[in-house]
């Protein structure tokens, strides 16, 4: 099966692979079922399902806050990190990346940082949830300093303050930036709720 005739509502190169896998699974399973149990979808119904925008919040979800491009992706393992970095390079090849990052203490943050962060990137660290359940700032800063030329701009215990600091920093720069929030679904959820609320208030 080919995706050539369909458009995806979700951004990110890895979403094409996910959609192709899902479609092939759908057609395969249809063939295994007796006709009376099959759920037959027309090409138009499939097209509408695939194009439905942001039906999976927090997976390369693009938003705008204070005029700044924000990408929210709850990648918290190696495969997710690789997919996120590849998609960023494809969608924002000329933008500098400012990361808002936080990891739970049970995650392999070192592997994630090695995949996500490039030398020219800049970083603001935060806690995705309670500090006692999160990787500490000193631990992450030491790893980044030892293993990357990327710059840690600041640390904020509150994710909302981390985002505000990131936006203020980007607004002062002359280069094109994209802010990427990642490392934890907890972190992405809190930032998503905050941006959605702020955008709703500004439109009223």
């Amino acid at each position: 099966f080919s995706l050539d005739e369909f458009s995806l509502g979700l951004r990110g190169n890895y979403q094409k692979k996910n959609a192709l896998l899902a479609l092939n699974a759908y057609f395969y399973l249809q063939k295994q079922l007796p006709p009376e149990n099959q759920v037959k979808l027309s090409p138009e119904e499939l097209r509408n399902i695939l194009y439905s925008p942001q039906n999976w919040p927090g997976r390369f979800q693009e938003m705008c806050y204070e005029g700044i491009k924000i990408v929210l992706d709850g990648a918290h393992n190696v495969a997710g990190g690789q997919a996120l970095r590849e998609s960023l390079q494809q969608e924002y090849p000329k933008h500098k990346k400012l990361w808002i990052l936080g990891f739970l203490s049970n995650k392999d943050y070192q592997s994630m940082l090695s995949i996500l962060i490039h030398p020219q990137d800049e970083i603001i660290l935060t806690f995705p949830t309670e500090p006692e359940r999160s990787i500490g700032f000193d631990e992450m800063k030491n790893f980044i300093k030892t293993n990357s030329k990327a710059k840690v701009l600041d640390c904020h215990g509150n994710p909302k303050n981390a985002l505000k600091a990131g936006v203020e920093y980007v607004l002062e720069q002359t280069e094109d930036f994209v802010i990427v929030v990642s490392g934890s679904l907890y972190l992405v959820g809190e930032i998503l709720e905050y941006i959605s609320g702020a955008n709703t208030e500004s439109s009223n």
Side-chain angles (χ1 to χ4, degrees):
F1 189 81
S2 172
L3 282 175
D4 292 343
E5 61 180 298
F6 297 101
S7 297
L8 295 182
L10 290 170
R11 303 288 294 274
N13 189 51
Y14 64 97
Q15 299 292 0
K16 297 178 183 178
K17 298 176 184 177
N18 291 342
L20 184 59
L21 177 62
L23 284 171
N24 279 298
Y26 163 74
F27 287 115
Y28 173 80
L29 291 173
Q30 286 290 89
K31 294 178 181 179
Q32 311 307 309
L33 295 172
E36 64 272 16
N37 292 336
Q38 292 180 7
V39 179
K40 295 184 178 180
L41 299 173
S42 68
E44 186 62 29
E45 288 174 315
L46 287 173
R47 187 173 290 108
N48 289 338
I49 291 171
L50 291 172
Y51 188 70
S52 178
Q54 300 304 347
N55 47 28
W56 196 352
R59 295 296 184 187
F60 210 84
Q61 182 174 359
E62 296 169 297
M63 304 186 77
C64 184
Y65 176 67
E66 300 291 339
I68 306 298
K69 297 177 185 294
I70 312 285
V71 171
L72 302 120
D73 194 299
H76 53 273
N77 56 41
V78 170
Q82 290 172 333
L84 171 56
R85 189 72 217 198
E86 289 172 5
S87 295
L88 285 170
Q89 294 304 107
Q90 181 183 26
E91 299 290 336
Y92 296 99
K94 297 181 180 180
H95 285 67
K96 289 200 67 174
K97 283 74 178 176
L98 171 59
W99 295 84
I100 309 293
L101 288 175
F103 299 92
L104 294 179
S105 57
N106 63 344
K107 299 302 180 182
D108 183 6
Y109 79 94
Q110 295 184 345
S111 294
M112 285 294 292
L113 287 172
S114 298
I115 291 167
L116 292 177
I117 304 304
H118 287 194
Q120 67 274 22
D121 293 349
E122 296 175 305
I123 307 163
I124 294 177
L125 299 174
T126 189
F127 294 137
T129 183
E130 296 88 356
E132 59 270 18
R133 296 179 58 202
S134 306
I135 299 292
F137 295 149
D138 288 342
E139 187 175 347
M140 283 193 286
K141 284 194 295 183
N142 288 336
F143 180 82
I144 293 168
K145 182 178 180 180
T146 304
N147 296 276
S148 172
K149 295 181 181 179
K151 182 180 180 181
V152 177
L153 299 176
D154 210 346
C155 302
H156 289 274
N158 186 303
K160 297 173 187 176
N161 291 338
L163 177 65
K164 291 177 183 177
V167 168
E168 290 176 3
Y169 175 78
V170 168
L171 289 173
E172 294 174 351
Q173 308 306 307
T174 57
E175 300 164 284
D176 289 331
F177 270 82
V178 58
I179 295 178
V180 189
V181 180
S182 190
S184 167
L185 289 169
Y186 288 98
L187 173 58
V188 165
E190 185 160 351
I191 296 296
L192 175 59
E193 181 180 9
Y194 174 72
I195 293 177
S196 299
N199 286 345
T200 299
E201 289 179 6
S202 64
S203 63
N204 291 336

